[in-house]
Amino acid sequence: MLTKDQIAQRIARELQDGWYVNLGIGIPTLVANYIPDGISVVLQSENGLLGMGPFPTEDQVDADLINAGKQTVTMLPGSSLFSSADSFAMIRGGHVQLTVLGAMEVAENGDIANWKIPGKMVKGMGGAMDLVAGTDNIIVAMMHTNREGESKLLKRCSLPLTGKNCIKRVITDLGLFSIEENSFVLEELAPGVSIEEIQAKTEGNLRISPNVKTMKFD
Amino acid sequence: MLTKDQIAQRIARELQDGWYVNLGIGIPTLVANYIPDGISVVLQSENGLLGMGPFPTEDQVDADLINAGKQTVTMLPGSSLFSSADSFAMIRGGHVQLTVLGAMEVAENGDIANWKIPGKMVKGMGGAMDLVAGTDNIIVAMMHTNREGESKLLKRCSLPLTGKNCIKRVITDLGLFSIEENSFVLEELAPGVSIEEIQAKTEGNLRISPNVKTMKFD
Amino acid sequence: MNKIVKNAEEAIRGIEDGMTLMLGGFGLCGIPENCINALVKAKTKNLTCISNNAGVDDFGIGLMLQQRQVKKMIASYVGENAEFERQLLSGELEVELTPQGTLAEKCRAGGAGIPAFFTATGYGTEVAEGKETREINGRMYVLEESLTADYAIVKAWKGDRFGNLIFKGTARNFNPMMAMAGRITIAEVEILVEAGELDPNQIHTPGIFVQKIFQGVDYEKRIEQRTVSK
Amino acid sequence: MNKIVKNAEEAIRGIEDGMTLMLGGFGLCGIPENCINALVKAKTKNLTCISNNAGVDDFGIGLMLQQRQVKKMIASYVGENAEFERQLLSGELEVELTPQGTLAEKCRAGGAGIPAFFTATGYGTEVAEGKETREINGRMYVLEESLTADYAIVKAWKGDRFGNLIFKGTARNFNPMMAMAGRITIAEVEILVEAGELDPNQIHTPGIFVQKIFQGVDYEKRIEQRTVSK
């Protein structure tokens, strides 16, 4: 089983030099802590910032500089600031190379649900629908099962969708999956997790890649 | 008969304090020379400038500061610079209070033709189609007749249109007309011009305003 | 030309019950604090508010919600507000949730004279229900209509009497597009300067989009998630 | 991350016969002089060029026309160019005239992932022929499709190695939207500075839209209508 930090660490290995990346709230935010040496990426915050840096020190805190999670942040050299319309022009126009975000459910056809639970208070989709519609390369980072132990990798999403047929990769605490031809394809196993466990905990159609391997962490 | 400068002078009397105004090439440009005392307007140049000032002196000339007629210009205090998309957002969005432009033909239904003569080299419509579609308040400034002495105030435009049903006022060397209910309504006569002359030189339906008067110039 | 008004009270004169307002800001960042406080005092009712968020219980649009001045919210994210939740569940408040990028673009389009545009965002979701969809170059898109407002209320860092505005940091967010989309746009600024003091090349919102401007007072600039590193 | 290339020759490597190019500028103001000269040297052929104008006989895109490198022009105004006129009348050159505001918006839309939008511009004229029209809120509109290009080539005043750009005066014009709409965008700048030297709040084109950047040489900046007052 992967810790949240290990999930972030594994995702960080996908980063390529020069990429513009949007990291969602939660586990995705942790990816910024594991950017490999020699790889330089630019973090996009959809409220209007490219080149987001670490959290500020006490004396750097600026109420006029926050990220999409409303947290105070800093800017790195080479940053730029812009309006929400320009920000989503980047996102919708496909200029962001990678989006990492969480989900409540992902389906074997690439559907994703992560914004609304009927009967519960709805907070809104924020920028999630734009991000999943606008980015080609999306990695969903989430726990494999919900609190009741039910699979979040499904045949069909039961919750209202955030986007249709848009997810091609999912990483959970149990493994890394690509989505191809209406199947979750297990590419990498978390250390200590068996294929049987994944089979038991995956509701959607599951295939095992012929090259399946176990992830390694230092 | 009005001179070109008198046409511009008469148009300038329509200006109201605080208006944003786009002046086309030719007679419309001259309007800037006759802005009444106490009236402050901001001139928009559709290539990306609000607050256009007079032509530069020799040592002020800047190749990076031109108007839509590609002439070197200056900026007044309170100017702003922006992209062509933002410029036409202003125009298309109806934020410019007055557009003054020339025409080859205007029809009694408010159609205007000013960009193309079939069989002749076509230079293009530039921003004219956006300006006539985007501005509520348009004044067409032109000679009443063409070089062959034929009326330019027509029942129907014979040339390809720039815009449909969009012109509400025309000023020519002979008079000032509003366009209402498929008629040119003569509101003001140029000094020395008779109603008979206007009747003879206007092909479109002509009505004489009950309050018709003769323009006065100092 | 002088667009300067004295203060927020004078600026919001003309805003009547039942009107549609756009309010700039992302969370509590870049919100027009002075005008919101004046609206709370004025007790204007039955408002439709277009804003990315709805403030928190005791700040921003939350203050207007406390007084039940808002009939309808058009927003992308409305968490962090208990009173909002109560009114929504009780049916006192209507909410139209719109994806953030679509909301931003709807405002820009409204200001730019574009009545409708196609976007892939929301296709296949409930956001697209009842809307025209269309395949263009092999991909499915939803037709979204633009938004305008009776009044747009924005907050900028610096401005001049022509209404030219410069924003600061991520406090820019929705303010520039909303400034475009208001039939009347009110700008409150931290620093009001003389015409000519702002570099024309650095202006984010040209004055043509702004009808009233004033220098605000006592900005609190509350931080929702104060996060620091050691 | 380093987007800096040595010069125009290196920047245009990858531009092949038959490609679609966007070229920034209004008249001769803000055109990418260095890249145009490199394209003239490279003799790349059968190009579709999207640019507001087509240069003059001996400068700007006019130089490419002299060599018959251009198969098709998409522009709003193509006067002031005798060779252009000759090729057009002889049928060697195809021209698609587009209203200036629609052209600007089509580029922005292409960069912003909006495949089509409605505008009132051109309704009832030959520009609308063959296009869908629709009544929205009592007014007639034309559906216009967005534009993208294999390469967009823009000219800015200042830039850094991240591709962030600042334009100067009215040389901004079509450059920012075209930068958004290029699958690959090349920026040539007068002054290339270190990352961090440009104020993030004053950047007109964020580097995300730019893939290659270099400092140009020997800018002529020709003036079409030198007009002075005494």
Side-chain angles (χ1 to χ4, degrees):
Chain A
M1 296 245 292
L2 301 185
T3 61
K4 288 181 179 183
D5 274 282
Q6 284 175 320
I7 292 177
Q9 215 176 326
R10 176 60 192 85
I11 292 169
R13 293 181 192 156
E14 298 292 308
L15 298 173
Q16 292 183 20
D17 191 46
W19 272 8
Y20 291 84
V21 178
N22 184 293
L23 301 176
I25 296 169
I27 299 174
T29 302
L30 301 174
V31 173
N33 300 333
Y34 298 100
I35 298 169
D37 287 345
I39 297 288
S40 150
V41 299
V42 178
L43 299 183
Q44 204 248 16
S45 188
E46 66 263 30
N47 56 319
L49 170 60
L50 274 175
M52 185 165 50
F55 297 127
T57 57
E58 273 296 346
D59 58 336
Q60 287 175 324
V61 167
D62 179 354
D64 290 327
L65 201 65
I66 64 170
N67 66 17
K70 283 125 188 170
Q71 298 170 307
T72 43
V73 292
T74 57
M75 291 189 285
L76 297 175
S79 284
S80 56
L81 295 156
F82 36 85
S83 72
S84 300
D86 287 346
S87 180
F88 284 92
M90 293 172 194
I91 291 167
R92 202 189 304 102
H95 303 278
V96 171
Q97 273 85 16
L98 174 67
T99 283
V100 184
L101 80 175
M104 300 168 182
E105 299 178 344
V106 175
E108 63 189 35
N109 64 354
D111 288 358
I112 175 173
N114 75 349
W115 75 283
K116 184 177 183 178
I117 302 176
K120 288 211 186 175
M121 175 57 190
V122 173
K123 296 192 169 189
M125 69 291 281
M129 285 193 182
D130 305 280
L131 282 159
V132 299
T135 321
D136 276 339
N137 189 8
I138 304 169
I139 298 179
V140 168
M142 64 179 189
M143 295 297 107
H144 204 94
T145 55
N146 64 18
R147 286 173 196 186
E148 289 73 41
E150 298 161 343
S151 178
K152 296 171 71 173
L153 285 68
L154 304 172
K155 288 201 174 307
R156 288 288 170 272
C157 290
S158 65
L159 297 170
L161 296 187
T162 307
K164 271 201 83 61
N165 307 122
C166 52
I167 306 302
K168 292 180 195 120
R169 251 168 337 157
V170 181
I171 178 162
T172 75
D173 47 334
L174 303 186
L176 172 69
F177 305 82
S178 58
I179 297 182
E180 290 168 28
E181 297 166 358
N182 288 315
S183 299
F184 294 101
V185 181
L186 176 66
E187 306 281 358
E188 297 179 24
L189 278 163
V193 173
S194 67
I195 289 180
E196 292 68 30
E197 179 178 356
I198 285 176
Q199 284 169 327
K201 290 183 173 169
T202 303
E203 190 223 81
N205 195 27
L206 179 71
R207 279 173 21 212
I208 315 298
S209 164
N211 306 314
V212 67
K213 57 186 177 187
T214 298
M215 291 177 214
K216 289 208 180 84
F217 295 92
D218 305 325
Chain B
M1 296 248 291
L2 301 184
T3 62
K4 289 180 178 181
D5 274 282
Q6 284 174 320
I7 292 176
Q9 215 175 328
R10 176 60 193 85
I11 291 169
R13 291 180 193 158
E14 298 292 307
L15 298 173
Q16 293 183 19
D17 191 46
W19 272 8
Y20 290 84
V21 178
N22 185 293
L23 301 175
I25 295 168
I27 299 174
T29 302
L30 301 174
V31 173
N33 300 333
Y34 297 101
I35 299 169
D37 287 346
I39 297 287
S40 150
V41 299
V42 177
L43 299 183
Q44 205 247 17
S45 189
E46 67 262 29
N47 56 319
L49 169 60
L50 273 175
M52 184 167 49
F55 296 127
T57 56
E58 273 296 346
D59 57 336
Q60 287 175 323
V61 166
D62 178 356
D64 290 328
L65 200 65
I66 63 170
N67 66 17
K70 283 125 188 170
Q71 297 170 308
T72 44
V73 291
T74 56
M75 290 190 285
L76 297 174
S79 284
S80 56
L81 295 156
F82 36 85
S83 72
S84 300
D86 288 346
S87 180
F88 284 93
M90 295 172 194
I91 291 168
R92 203 189 304 103
H95 303 279
V96 171
Q97 274 83 17
L98 174 67
T99 284
V100 184
L101 79 175
M104 300 168 182
E105 299 179 344
V106 175
E108 62 189 35
N109 65 354
D111 288 358
I112 176 173
N114 76 348
W115 75 284
K116 184 177 182 179
I117 302 176
K120 287 210 186 176
M121 174 58 189
V122 173
K123 296 191 169 190
M125 70 291 282
M129 285 193 182
D130 305 279
L131 282 160
V132 299
T135 321
D136 277 339
N137 189 9
I138 305 169
I139 298 178
V140 168
M142 64 179 190
M143 295 296 110
H144 204 95
T145 54
N146 64 17
R147 286 176 195 184
E148 288 74 41
E150 298 161 342
S151 179
K152 295 169 74 174
L153 285 66
L154 303 173
K155 289 201 174 306
R156 289 287 170 272
C157 290
S158 65
L159 297 171
L161 295 187
T162 307
K164 271 201 81 64
N165 308 121
C166 52
I167 306 302
K168 292 178 193 119
R169 250 163 344 151
V170 181
I171 178 162
T172 74
D173 48 334
L174 303 187
L176 173 67
F177 306 82
S178 59
I179 296 182
E180 291 169 27
E181 297 165 358
N182 287 315
S183 298
F184 294 101
V185 181
L186 176 65
E187 307 281 357
E188 296 179 24
L189 277 164
V193 172
S194 67
I195 289 181
E196 292 69 29
E197 179 177 357
I198 286 175
Q199 284 169 328
K201 290 182 173 169
T202 304
E203 190 222 82
N205 195 27
L206 180 72
R207 282 177 13 216
I208 314 299
S209 164
N211 306 314
V212 66
K213 58 186 176 185
T214 297
M215 290 177 215
K216 287 208 181 84
F217 294 91
D218 305 325
Chain C
M1 179 175 308
N2 185 5
K3 299 175 178 180
I4 298 173
V5 295
K6 213 172 59 191
N7 52 29
E9 285 65 36
E10 193 181 328
I12 66 156
R13 215 168 282 160
I15 299 184
E16 293 169 13
D17 291 357
M19 280 189 169
T20 296
L21 310 184
M22 286 182 179
L23 295 123
F26 180 93
L28 303 178
C29 183
I31 62 172
E33 296 185 18
N34 279 247
C35 283
I36 290 173
N37 290 336
L39 283 165
V40 167
K41 266 192 222 152
K43 296 191 162 56
T44 323
K45 293 259 184 312
N46 287 319
L47 297 169
T48 295
C49 291
I50 304 169
S51 179
N52 188 55
N53 312 89
V56 294
D57 275 325
D58 61 345
F59 203 61
I61 295 175
L63 298 171
M64 294 165 69
L65 289 163
Q66 292 288 351
Q67 290 207 101
R68 306 195 195 174
Q69 296 179 264
V70 183
K71 182 185 64 178
K72 180 177 177 178
M73 278 293 317
I74 299 177
S76 88
Y77 188 83
V78 292
E80 350 297 0
N81 195 315
E83 173 61 15
F84 184 97
E85 187 165 347
R86 194 198 61 70
Q87 290 182 25
L88 181 59
L89 294 174
S90 72
E92 293 164 63
L93 180 66
E94 189 186 341
V95 177
E96 189 174 312
L97 290 169
T98 305
Q100 196 174 139
T102 298
L103 183 62
E105 193 65 18
K106 278 159 94 78
C107 295
R108 181 190 176 275
I114 291 169
F117 59 90
F118 284 98
T119 173
T121 300
Y123 175 73
T125 77
E126 61 184 57
V127 162
E129 281 171 22
K131 291 174 186 162
E132 176 178 336
T133 59
R134 179 185 299 210
E135 187 177 327
I136 302 174
N137 299 324
R139 196 156 178 213
M140 292 303 297
Y141 294 91
V142 184
L143 185 65
E144 293 282 0
E145 291 185 6
S146 66
L147 286 170
T148 56
D150 295 309
Y151 279 79
I153 308 176
V154 304
K155 153 81 193 334
W157 176 41
K158 289 183 178 176
D160 66 21
R161 68 179 168 84
F162 282 82
N164 294 307
L165 304 178
I166 295 177
F167 304 94
K168 179 165 160 280
T170 57
R172 194 182 319 180
N173 56 62
F174 281 77
N175 285 296
M177 296 82 70
M178 289 184 170
M180 295 169 73
R183 267 181 286 279
I184 295 173
T185 292
I186 299 167
E188 56 174 86
V189 300
E190 290 181 56
I191 305 166
L192 188 60
V193 303
E194 277 306 304
E197 282 189 46
L198 303 178
D199 179 347
N201 207 29
Q202 293 174 15
I203 286 166
H204 296 132
T205 291
I208 192 170
F209 295 120
V210 175
Q211 282 68 49
K212 299 183 191 183
I213 188 167
F214 69 96
Q215 183 168 307
V217 294
D218 301 331
Y219 281 103
E220 184 179 337
K221 293 198 184 185
R222 200 185 289 186
I223 294 172
E224 271 183 270
Q225 306 282 342
R226 189 185 192 88
T227 320
V228 296
S229 56
K230 275 117 242 168
Chain D
M1 179 175 309
N2 185 4
K3 300 176 177 180
I4 298 173
V5 295
K6 213 173 58 191
N7 53 29
E9 284 64 38
E10 194 181 327
I12 66 158
R13 215 169 283 158
I15 299 183
E16 294 169 11
D17 292 356
M19 280 191 171
T20 296
L21 310 185
M22 285 183 180
L23 295 123
F26 180 94
L28 303 179
C29 181
I31 61 173
E33 296 184 18
N34 279 247
C35 283
I36 290 173
N37 290 337
L39 283 166
V40 167
K41 264 192 223 151
K43 297 192 162 58
T44 323
K45 292 260 184 314
N46 286 320
L47 297 169
T48 295
C49 290
I50 303 170
S51 179
N52 188 57
N53 312 90
V56 295
D57 275 324
D58 61 345
F59 203 61
I61 296 176
L63 297 170
M64 293 165 69
L65 289 162
Q66 293 287 351
Q67 288 206 104
R68 306 196 195 174
Q69 295 179 265
V70 184
K71 180 185 65 177
K72 180 177 176 178
M73 276 295 316
I74 299 177
S76 87
Y77 188 84
V78 292
E80 352 296 358
N81 195 316
E83 174 61 15
F84 184 97
E85 187 166 346
R86 194 198 62 69
Q87 290 183 26
L88 180 59
L89 294 174
S90 72
E92 293 164 63
L93 179 66
E94 189 186 342
V95 177
E96 189 174 311
L97 290 169
T98 305
Q100 196 175 138
T102 298
L103 183 62
E105 193 65 19
K106 278 158 96 74
C107 296
R108 180 190 176 276
I114 291 170
F117 59 89
F118 284 98
T119 174
T121 301
Y123 175 73
T125 76
E126 62 183 56
V127 162
E129 281 170 22
K131 291 175 186 161
E132 177 179 334
T133 59
R134 179 184 299 209
E135 187 177 327
I136 302 174
N137 300 324
R139 196 157 179 213
M140 293 303 297
Y141 294 91
V142 184
L143 185 66
E144 292 283 0
E145 292 185 5
S146 64
L147 285 170
T148 55
D150 295 308
Y151 280 79
I153 308 175
V154 304
K155 152 81 192 335
W157 177 41
K158 289 183 179 175
D160 67 20
R161 69 180 166 84
F162 283 80
N164 294 307
L165 305 179
I166 295 178
F167 303 93
K168 181 165 160 278
T170 56
R172 194 180 321 179
N173 55 64
F174 281 77
N175 285 296
M177 295 84 70
M178 289 183 171
M180 295 169 72
R183 267 181 286 278
I184 295 173
T185 292
I186 300 167
E188 56 173 86
V189 300
E190 290 180 56
I191 305 165
L192 188 62
V193 303
E194 276 308 303
E197 283 189 46
L198 303 179
D199 179 346
N201 207 30
Q202 292 175 15
I203 285 165
H204 296 132
T205 292
I208 193 171
F209 296 119
V210 174
Q211 281 69 48
K212 299 184 191 180
I213 189 168
F214 69 96
Q215 183 169 309
V217 293
D218 301 330
Y219 281 103
E220 182 179 341
K221 293 198 184 185
R222 199 186 291 187
I223 293 173
E224 270 183 272
Q225 305 282 341
R226 190 186 192 88
T227 319
V228 296
S229 55
K230 274 116 243 167

